PDB file of all heavy atoms in Angstrom:
ATOM      1  N   THR Z   1       2.923  -6.848  -5.030  1.00  0.00           N
ATOM      2  CA  THR Z   1       2.028  -5.887  -4.309  1.00  0.00           C
ATOM      3  C   THR Z   1       0.494  -5.848  -4.761  1.00  0.00           C
ATOM      4  O   THR Z   1       0.294  -6.229  -5.966  1.00  0.00           O
ATOM      5  CB  THR Z   1       2.559  -4.564  -4.261  1.00  0.00           C
ATOM      6  OG1 THR Z   1       1.831  -3.633  -3.446  1.00  0.00           O
ATOM      7  CG2 THR Z   1       2.700  -3.898  -5.737  1.00  0.00           C
ATOM      8  N   ASP Z   2      -0.445  -5.601  -4.036  1.00  0.00           N
ATOM      9  CA  ASP Z   2      -1.752  -5.465  -4.382  1.00  0.00           C
ATOM     10  C   ASP Z   2      -2.074  -4.030  -4.713  1.00  0.00           C
ATOM     11  O   ASP Z   2      -3.266  -3.762  -5.081  1.00  0.00           O
ATOM     12  CB  ASP Z   2      -2.744  -6.025  -3.402  1.00  0.00           C
ATOM     13  CG  ASP Z   2      -2.790  -5.284  -2.033  1.00  0.00           C
ATOM     14  OD1 ASP Z   2      -1.985  -4.295  -1.902  1.00  0.00           O
ATOM     15  OD2 ASP Z   2      -3.559  -5.554  -1.106  1.00  0.00           O
ATOM     16  N   GLY Z   3      -1.120  -3.161  -4.595  1.00  0.00           N
ATOM     17  CA  GLY Z   3      -1.370  -1.738  -4.833  1.00  0.00           C
ATOM     18  C   GLY Z   3      -1.991  -0.903  -3.861  1.00  0.00           C
ATOM     19  O   GLY Z   3      -2.166   0.298  -3.789  1.00  0.00           O
ATOM     20  N   ALA Z   4      -2.442  -1.616  -2.743  1.00  0.00           N
ATOM     21  CA  ALA Z   4      -3.071  -0.931  -1.508  1.00  0.00           C
ATOM     22  C   ALA Z   4      -2.256  -1.014  -0.170  1.00  0.00           C
ATOM     23  O   ALA Z   4      -2.818  -0.990   0.799  1.00  0.00           O
ATOM     24  CB  ALA Z   4      -4.390  -1.685  -1.416  1.00  0.00           C
ATOM     25  N   GLY Z   5      -0.959  -1.331  -0.457  1.00  0.00           N
ATOM     26  CA  GLY Z   5      -0.036  -1.352   0.790  1.00  0.00           C
ATOM     27  C   GLY Z   5       0.216  -2.760   1.241  1.00  0.00           C
ATOM     28  O   GLY Z   5       0.980  -2.893   2.162  1.00  0.00           O
ATOM     29  N   ASP Z   6      -0.438  -3.809   0.621  1.00  0.00           N
ATOM     30  CA  ASP Z   6      -0.124  -5.214   1.090  1.00  0.00           C
ATOM     31  C   ASP Z   6       0.827  -5.730   0.122  1.00  0.00           C
ATOM     32  O   ASP Z   6       0.659  -5.703  -1.070  1.00  0.00           O
ATOM     33  CB  ASP Z   6      -1.409  -5.955   1.090  1.00  0.00           C
ATOM     34  CG  ASP Z   6      -2.432  -5.460   2.017  1.00  0.00           C
ATOM     35  OD1 ASP Z   6      -2.202  -5.289   3.153  1.00  0.00           O
ATOM     36  OD2 ASP Z   6      -3.589  -5.019   1.494  1.00  0.00           O
ATOM     37  N   ASN Z   7       2.004  -6.331   0.534  1.00  0.00           N
ATOM     38  CA  ASN Z   7       3.056  -6.856  -0.175  1.00  0.00           C
ATOM     39  C   ASN Z   7       3.542  -8.233   0.088  1.00  0.00           C
ATOM     40  O   ASN Z   7       3.483  -8.701   1.177  1.00  0.00           O
ATOM     41  CB  ASN Z   7       4.247  -5.874  -0.087  1.00  0.00           C
ATOM     42  CG  ASN Z   7       3.996  -4.485  -0.297  1.00  0.00           C
ATOM     43  OD1 ASN Z   7       3.377  -4.253  -1.400  1.00  0.00           O
ATOM     44  ND2 ASN Z   7       4.316  -3.476   0.488  1.00  0.00           N
ATOM     45  N   ILE Z   8       4.084  -8.817  -0.911  1.00  0.00           N
ATOM     46  CA  ILE Z   8       4.815 -10.085  -0.700  1.00  0.00           C
ATOM     47  C   ILE Z   8       6.209  -9.866  -0.923  1.00  0.00           C
ATOM     48  O   ILE Z   8       6.573  -9.383  -2.019  1.00  0.00           O
ATOM     49  CB  ILE Z   8       4.286 -11.212  -1.669  1.00  0.00           C
ATOM     50  CG1 ILE Z   8       2.737 -11.499  -1.405  1.00  0.00           C
ATOM     51  CG2 ILE Z   8       5.103 -12.462  -1.517  1.00  0.00           C
ATOM     52  CD1 ILE Z   8       2.163 -12.417  -2.506  1.00  0.00           C
ATOM     53  N   PRO Z   9       7.080 -10.075   0.041  1.00  0.00           N
ATOM     54  CA  PRO Z   9       8.521  -9.640  -0.029  1.00  0.00           C
ATOM     55  C   PRO Z   9       9.173 -10.648  -0.896  1.00  0.00           C
ATOM     56  O   PRO Z   9       8.845 -11.798  -1.023  1.00  0.00           O
ATOM     57  CB  PRO Z   9       9.062  -9.526   1.315  1.00  0.00           C
ATOM     58  CG  PRO Z   9       8.013 -10.336   2.214  1.00  0.00           C
ATOM     59  CD  PRO Z   9       6.755 -10.279   1.439  1.00  0.00           C
ATOM     60  N   SER Z  10      10.486 -10.305  -1.308  1.00  0.00           N
ATOM     61  CA  SER Z  10      11.238 -11.221  -2.227  1.00  0.00           C
ATOM     62  C   SER Z  10      11.787 -12.377  -1.338  1.00  0.00           C
ATOM     63  O   SER Z  10      12.001 -13.411  -1.894  1.00  0.00           O
ATOM     64  CB  SER Z  10      12.413 -10.494  -2.743  1.00  0.00           C
ATOM     65  OG  SER Z  10      13.371 -10.041  -1.752  1.00  0.00           O
ATOM     66  N   ALA Z  11      11.831 -12.276   0.076  1.00  0.00           N
ATOM     67  CA  ALA Z  11      12.222 -13.328   0.839  1.00  0.00           C
ATOM     68  C   ALA Z  11      11.159 -14.432   0.844  1.00  0.00           C
ATOM     69  O   ALA Z  11      11.447 -15.601   1.193  1.00  0.00           O
ATOM     70  CB  ALA Z  11      12.366 -12.835   2.272  1.00  0.00           C
ATOM     71  N   ASP Z  12       9.933 -14.116   0.392  1.00  0.00           N
ATOM     72  CA  ASP Z  12       8.942 -15.180   0.320  1.00  0.00           C
ATOM     73  C   ASP Z  12       8.600 -15.635  -1.148  1.00  0.00           C
ATOM     74  O   ASP Z  12       7.768 -16.499  -1.362  1.00  0.00           O
ATOM     75  CB  ASP Z  12       7.554 -14.636   0.990  1.00  0.00           C
ATOM     76  CG  ASP Z  12       7.764 -14.387   2.498  1.00  0.00           C
ATOM     77  OD1 ASP Z  12       8.618 -15.125   3.138  1.00  0.00           O
ATOM     78  OD2 ASP Z  12       7.302 -13.303   2.941  1.00  0.00           O
ATOM     79  N   PHE Z  13       9.320 -15.217  -2.054  1.00  0.00           N
ATOM     80  CA  PHE Z  13       9.261 -15.577  -3.386  1.00  0.00           C
ATOM     81  C   PHE Z  13      10.615 -16.578  -3.652  1.00  0.00           C
ATOM     82  O   PHE Z  13      11.605 -16.182  -3.295  1.00  0.00           O
ATOM     83  CB  PHE Z  13       9.380 -14.406  -4.380  1.00  0.00           C
ATOM     84  CG  PHE Z  13       9.209 -14.911  -5.817  1.00  0.00           C
ATOM     85  CD1 PHE Z  13       7.959 -14.911  -6.453  1.00  0.00           C
ATOM     86  CD2 PHE Z  13      10.306 -15.259  -6.641  1.00  0.00           C
ATOM     87  CE1 PHE Z  13       7.898 -15.357  -7.771  1.00  0.00           C
ATOM     88  CE2 PHE Z  13      10.247 -15.688  -7.918  1.00  0.00           C
ATOM     89  CZ  PHE Z  13       8.892 -15.776  -8.490  1.00  0.00           C
ATOM     90  N   GLN Z  14      10.307 -17.801  -4.217  1.00  0.00           N
ATOM     91  CA  GLN Z  14      11.296 -18.796  -4.189  1.00  0.00           C
ATOM     92  C   GLN Z  14      11.514 -19.210  -5.690  1.00  0.00           C
ATOM     93  O   GLN Z  14      10.512 -19.322  -6.430  1.00  0.00           O
ATOM     94  CB  GLN Z  14      10.990 -20.012  -3.269  1.00  0.00           C
ATOM     95  CG  GLN Z  14      10.818 -19.675  -1.943  1.00  0.00           C
ATOM     96  CD  GLN Z  14      10.271 -20.747  -1.233  1.00  0.00           C
ATOM     97  OE1 GLN Z  14       9.415 -21.594  -1.624  1.00  0.00           O
ATOM     98  NE2 GLN Z  14      10.631 -20.848   0.070  1.00  0.00           N
ATOM     99  N   LEU Z  15      12.704 -19.514  -6.036  1.00  0.00           N
ATOM    100  CA  LEU Z  15      13.000 -19.881  -7.293  1.00  0.00           C
ATOM    101  C   LEU Z  15      13.903 -21.216  -7.283  1.00  0.00           C
ATOM    102  O   LEU Z  15      14.905 -21.280  -6.439  1.00  0.00           O
ATOM    103  CB  LEU Z  15      13.819 -18.880  -8.006  1.00  0.00           C
ATOM    104  CG  LEU Z  15      14.158 -18.958  -9.560  1.00  0.00           C
ATOM    105  CD1 LEU Z  15      14.344 -17.685 -10.107  1.00  0.00           C
ATOM    106  CD2 LEU Z  15      15.502 -19.768  -9.744  1.00  0.00           C
ATOM    107  N   SER Z  16      13.525 -22.272  -8.101  1.00  0.00           N
ATOM    108  CA  SER Z  16      14.259 -23.374  -8.279  1.00  0.00           C
ATOM    109  C   SER Z  16      14.971 -23.468  -9.561  1.00  0.00           C
ATOM    110  O   SER Z  16      14.235 -23.358 -10.711  1.00  0.00           O
ATOM    111  CB  SER Z  16      13.502 -24.698  -8.186  1.00  0.00           C
ATOM    112  OG  SER Z  16      14.140 -25.844  -8.562  1.00  0.00           O
ATOM    113  N   ASP Z  17      16.375 -23.435  -9.685  1.00  0.00           N
ATOM    114  CA  ASP Z  17      17.071 -23.360 -10.857  1.00  0.00           C
ATOM    115  C   ASP Z  17      17.503 -24.761 -11.307  1.00  0.00           C
ATOM    116  O   ASP Z  17      18.358 -25.434 -10.425  1.00  0.00           O
ATOM    117  CB  ASP Z  17      18.371 -22.425 -10.809  1.00  0.00           C
ATOM    118  CG  ASP Z  17      18.930 -22.193 -12.074  1.00  0.00           C
ATOM    119  OD1 ASP Z  17      18.263 -22.324 -13.100  1.00  0.00           O
ATOM    120  OD2 ASP Z  17      20.109 -21.950 -12.033  1.00  0.00           O
ATOM    121  N   ASN Z  18      17.151 -25.258 -12.491  1.00  0.00           N
ATOM    122  CA  ASN Z  18      17.674 -26.608 -13.035  1.00  0.00           C
ATOM    123  C   ASN Z  18      17.448 -27.707 -11.993  1.00  0.00           C
ATOM    124  O   ASN Z  18      18.164 -28.583 -11.849  1.00  0.00           O
ATOM    125  CB  ASN Z  18      19.085 -26.519 -13.431  1.00  0.00           C
ATOM    126  CG  ASN Z  18      19.296 -25.615 -14.626  1.00  0.00           C
ATOM    127  OD1 ASN Z  18      18.403 -25.547 -15.518  1.00  0.00           O
ATOM    128  ND2 ASN Z  18      20.415 -24.922 -14.731  1.00  0.00           N
ATOM    129  N   GLY Z  19      16.246 -27.770 -11.348  1.00  0.00           N
ATOM    130  CA  GLY Z  19      15.820 -28.814 -10.477  1.00  0.00           C
ATOM    131  C   GLY Z  19      16.493 -28.740  -9.062  1.00  0.00           C
ATOM    132  O   GLY Z  19      16.267 -29.612  -8.317  1.00  0.00           O
ATOM    133  N   GLY Z  20      17.139 -27.624  -8.763  1.00  0.00           N
ATOM    134  CA  GLY Z  20      17.743 -27.371  -7.326  1.00  0.00           C
ATOM    135  C   GLY Z  20      16.750 -27.067  -6.433  1.00  0.00           C
ATOM    136  O   GLY Z  20      15.456 -26.943  -6.780  1.00  0.00           O
ATOM    137  N   ALA Z  21      17.041 -26.965  -5.196  1.00  0.00           N
ATOM    138  CA  ALA Z  21      16.164 -26.584  -4.110  1.00  0.00           C
ATOM    139  C   ALA Z  21      15.634 -25.244  -4.328  1.00  0.00           C
ATOM    140  O   ALA Z  21      16.249 -24.307  -4.984  1.00  0.00           O
ATOM    141  CB  ALA Z  21      16.882 -26.640  -2.749  1.00  0.00           C
ATOM    142  N   PHE Z  22      14.354 -24.996  -3.809  1.00  0.00           N
ATOM    143  CA  PHE Z  22      13.880 -23.659  -3.913  1.00  0.00           C
ATOM    144  C   PHE Z  22      14.569 -22.684  -3.028  1.00  0.00           C
ATOM    145  O   PHE Z  22      14.924 -23.088  -1.870  1.00  0.00           O
ATOM    146  CB  PHE Z  22      12.362 -23.548  -3.705  1.00  0.00           C
ATOM    147  CG  PHE Z  22      11.398 -24.071  -4.638  1.00  0.00           C
ATOM    148  CD1 PHE Z  22      10.865 -25.321  -4.639  1.00  0.00           C
ATOM    149  CD2 PHE Z  22      11.124 -23.164  -5.686  1.00  0.00           C
ATOM    150  CE1 PHE Z  22      10.044 -25.651  -5.660  1.00  0.00           C
ATOM    151  CE2 PHE Z  22      10.347 -23.504  -6.748  1.00  0.00           C
ATOM    152  CZ  PHE Z  22       9.711 -24.804  -6.688  1.00  0.00           C
ATOM    153  N   THR Z  23      14.918 -21.500  -3.566  1.00  0.00           N
ATOM    154  CA  THR Z  23      15.765 -20.546  -2.846  1.00  0.00           C
ATOM    155  C   THR Z  23      15.006 -19.215  -2.961  1.00  0.00           C
ATOM    156  O   THR Z  23      14.646 -18.801  -3.935  1.00  0.00           O
ATOM    157  CB  THR Z  23      17.119 -20.430  -3.428  1.00  0.00           C
ATOM    158  OG1 THR Z  23      17.622 -21.756  -3.482  1.00  0.00           O
ATOM    159  CG2 THR Z  23      17.967 -19.469  -2.663  1.00  0.00           C
ATOM    160  N   ALA Z  24      14.926 -18.517  -1.800  1.00  0.00           N
ATOM    161  CA  ALA Z  24      14.330 -17.311  -1.807  1.00  0.00           C
ATOM    162  C   ALA Z  24      15.364 -16.172  -2.419  1.00  0.00           C
ATOM    163  O   ALA Z  24      16.515 -16.316  -2.342  1.00  0.00           O
ATOM    164  CB  ALA Z  24      14.121 -16.783  -0.355  1.00  0.00           C
ATOM    165  N   LEU Z  25      14.803 -15.113  -2.977  1.00  0.00           N
ATOM    166  CA  LEU Z  25      15.517 -14.041  -3.550  1.00  0.00           C
ATOM    167  C   LEU Z  25      15.869 -12.968  -2.465  1.00  0.00           C
ATOM    168  O   LEU Z  25      15.142 -12.027  -2.218  1.00  0.00           O
ATOM    169  CB  LEU Z  25      14.781 -13.442  -4.667  1.00  0.00           C
ATOM    170  CG  LEU Z  25      14.927 -14.186  -6.002  1.00  0.00           C
ATOM    171  CD1 LEU Z  25      14.149 -15.433  -6.029  1.00  0.00           C
ATOM    172  CD2 LEU Z  25      14.393 -13.304  -7.257  1.00  0.00           C
ATOM    173  N   THR Z  26      16.945 -13.227  -1.701  1.00  0.00           N
ATOM    174  CA  THR Z  26      17.238 -12.374  -0.694  1.00  0.00           C
ATOM    175  C   THR Z  26      18.750 -11.878  -0.701  1.00  0.00           C
ATOM    176  O   THR Z  26      19.289 -11.289   0.152  1.00  0.00           O
ATOM    177  CB  THR Z  26      17.251 -13.230   0.769  1.00  0.00           C
ATOM    178  OG1 THR Z  26      18.026 -14.376   0.604  1.00  0.00           O
ATOM    179  CG2 THR Z  26      15.637 -13.680   0.968  1.00  0.00           C
ATOM    180  N   ASN Z  27      19.361 -12.046  -1.906  1.00  0.00           N
ATOM    181  CA  ASN Z  27      20.774 -11.574  -2.025  1.00  0.00           C
ATOM    182  C   ASN Z  27      20.774 -10.232  -2.827  1.00  0.00           C
ATOM    183  O   ASN Z  27      19.858  -9.910  -3.601  1.00  0.00           O
ATOM    184  CB  ASN Z  27      21.540 -12.437  -2.761  1.00  0.00           C
ATOM    185  CG  ASN Z  27      21.565 -13.868  -2.129  1.00  0.00           C
ATOM    186  OD1 ASN Z  27      21.881 -14.067  -0.921  1.00  0.00           O
ATOM    187  ND2 ASN Z  27      21.441 -14.936  -2.836  1.00  0.00           N
ATOM    188  N   THR Z  28      21.863  -9.467  -2.488  1.00  0.00           N
ATOM    189  CA  THR Z  28      22.091  -8.317  -3.328  1.00  0.00           C
ATOM    190  C   THR Z  28      22.972  -8.661  -4.385  1.00  0.00           C
ATOM    191  O   THR Z  28      24.054  -9.216  -4.219  1.00  0.00           O
ATOM    192  CB  THR Z  28      22.655  -7.154  -2.404  1.00  0.00           C
ATOM    193  OG1 THR Z  28      21.937  -6.889  -1.323  1.00  0.00           O
ATOM    194  CG2 THR Z  28      23.120  -5.906  -3.196  1.00  0.00           C
ATOM    195  N   VAL Z  29      22.487  -8.447  -5.630  1.00  0.00           N
ATOM    196  CA  VAL Z  29      23.123  -8.853  -6.872  1.00  0.00           C
ATOM    197  C   VAL Z  29      23.545  -7.671  -7.641  1.00  0.00           C
ATOM    198  O   VAL Z  29      23.324  -6.511  -7.265  1.00  0.00           O
ATOM    199  CB  VAL Z  29      22.280  -9.864  -7.575  1.00  0.00           C
ATOM    200  CG1 VAL Z  29      22.068 -11.190  -6.865  1.00  0.00           C
ATOM    201  CG2 VAL Z  29      21.032  -9.253  -8.080  1.00  0.00           C
ATOM    202  N   ALA Z  30      24.167  -7.865  -8.814  1.00  0.00           N
ATOM    203  CA  ALA Z  30      24.570  -6.729  -9.748  1.00  0.00           C
ATOM    204  C   ALA Z  30      23.610  -5.851 -10.111  1.00  0.00           C
ATOM    205  O   ALA Z  30      23.804  -4.715 -10.345  1.00  0.00           O
ATOM    206  CB  ALA Z  30      25.282  -7.376 -10.911  1.00  0.00           C
TER     207      ALA Z  30
END
């Protein structure tokens, strides 16, 4: 967030684990 109400959601943040495909953080986890 920029603190002024503009946000980047977790669906647009991507992670590649151990060389795998980039995956958005969209799951409900523990």
Side-chain angles (χ1 to χ4, degrees):
T1 184
D2 67 357
D6 301 302
N7 301 313
I8 299 172
S10 65
D12 297 322
F13 184 90
Q14 302 170 330
L15 188 151
S16 167
D17 187 30
N18 291 328
F22 278 104
T23 305
L25 278 70
T26 58
N27 298 316
T28 299
V29 297

